[in-house]
Structure formats: structure tokens, C-alpha cells
Amino acid sequence: MAKKIIWTQKAQAERKEILEYWKNRNKSTVFSIKLNKLFIEHLRKIALHPNTGRNTDIKNVKVKIIRDYLLFYEVIEDEIIVLCIWDGRRDPDKLHVK
């Protein structure tokens, strides 16, 4: 059975920022729409198979690589909590998952 997906405010803001960046950079929404669909598609798979992501140093938190982005999520009982979407090309010292 698929787990329920819950987005944190932080993750929602990061996703919006990423999609806005590509919209402004490309002067088009085509890539942003494709990237958002990719995020959603991967989350649907994670909801069905939560252990597909790699373990992190934080208990119950996993990471899934989606193109150049790292999607951090926490598995809690029947929920997947999306904690963060991080551009893997950014400075890792600025990454704060929780």
C-alpha cells in the first residue's frame, strides 16, 4: 500500500524556487513542468517503495537522486515526509535537512 506524501513548507518553498529559477532562466515553463513531473513521479514510486532511497546519517531519512537534485525524505509509519530538495551543484556546507 502506498504511503501518504507530505511536503514540509521548506521543501515546498525549495521546489517553487527551483521551478521559478528554470522558468526565468529559460524564459519558458516547459522545463519547469517536466522537472516538477519528474519530482512527482519519483515521489509516487517512493510512496510505494520507501526504501529505494539511500540511507543518510540521520535516522529514518533517505535521499533520492533526481537529475541534479537530491530529494531528502523521512519515512514515518504510513507517511513520507519530503524534507528538502537540494541542487547537488550547490555548496554542501549550506545543506540543512532538518
Side-chain angles (χ1 to χ4, degrees):
M1 186 166 142
K3 295 183 181 286
K4 182 179 179 179
I5 298 169
I6 299 171
W7 286 80
T8 62
Q9 288 183 343
K10 176 184 177 190
Q12 286 178 326
E14 290 167 339
R15 177 172 67 163
K16 182 179 178 181
E17 182 179 318
I18 290 165
L19 299 176
E20 284 290 322
Y21 168 81
W22 286 109
K23 178 183 161 191
N24 293 332
R25 182 173 189 263
N26 296 335
K27 307 290 187 243
S28 169
T29 59
V30 173
F31 182 72
S32 293
I33 291 169
K34 286 181 183 180
L35 186 58
N36 192 48
K37 285 182 182 178
L38 199 58
F39 290 150
I40 292 169
E41 177 184 313
H42 278 270
L43 278 170
R44 285 185 182 143
K45 290 177 183 177
I46 290 169
L48 292 170
H49 306 285
N51 292 320
T52 60
R54 292 183 183 180
N55 291 328
T56 66
D57 294 338
I58 304 168
K59 185 180 179 182
N60 296 328
V61 175
K62 296 187 174 288
V63 63
K64 181 73 173 169
I65 299 171
I66 305 171
R67 296 191 75 152
D68 292 320
Y69 298 93
L70 305 173
L71 187 141
F72 290 89
Y73 63 96
E74 187 172 12
V75 181
I76 301 176
E77 295 179 19
D78 60 344
E79 297 176 339
I80 301 293
I81 312 292
V82 182
L83 302 171
C84 176
I85 298 179
W86 182 258
D87 187 332
R89 299 165 290 191
R90 292 177 62 186
D91 182 357
D93 292 334
K94 296 181 180 180
L95 174 63
H96 300 285
V97 175
K98 278 192 152 188

